[in-house]
Each structure stands twice: as C-alpha cells, then as structure tokens.
Amino acid sequence: EAYRKSVLPDEITARLAVEAGIGMGWERWTGAKGQVLSIERYGASAPFQTIFEKFGFTAANVCALVRGMLA
C-alpha cells in the first residue's frame, strides 16, 4: 500500500492509461477522474501505424486528452 501510494498518490487524479488492447481493469488505477485510451475491439487488421492513428494512439491525441483532464 505504501509503494502504491508513492507511485499513484491520492492527490493526483489526472491519470491516463494508454492500452493498445482492452482497457478493462485500468479504471482501478486511473480512478474516477482518470481516463483509459484503449482499442476495445478485436480483429482490426492493418499496419500498426494505421490502427494507432484510427484509434487515437497518437502523441497529439494523448496530449489533448491529458490537457482536457488538466483543464
């Protein structure tokens, strides 16, 4: 518990989990005010660059999500 609180302190609520798969379970770590960016589907087939762009796994989108949480 002490280690968890040192890594994920209660006073920091803007947390974003980035999961290139199913996001189920990450809510435990992001908390009620955090967000999970995940694909949430099985079977998408394309080069990873195309998949990541389509599902928002870009630096620009991650930054936008974080900025939105901090606003």
Side-chain angles (χ1 to χ4, degrees):
E1 183 66 18
Y3 174 73
R4 187 194 68 75
K5 286 189 180 270
S6 75
V7 175
L8 299 168
D10 292 334
E11 61 272 13
I12 297 177
T13 59
R15 298 178 183 165
L16 175 65
V18 179
E19 171 61 61
I22 302 298
M24 184 174 67
W26 280 106
E27 302 85 12
R28 175 180 179 194
W29 306 110
T30 59
K33 295 183 180 179
Q35 294 183 31
V36 179
L37 172 62
S38 60
I39 292 179
E40 296 305 320
R41 75 170 55 180
Y42 177 78
S45 180
F48 80 89
Q49 297 93 335
T50 303
I51 296 292
F52 278 18
E53 180 74 29
K54 178 176 173 66
F55 290 102
F57 286 85
T58 63
N61 188 53
V62 169
C63 288
L65 290 171
V66 171
R67 285 187 186 112
M69 287 192 298
L70 295 174

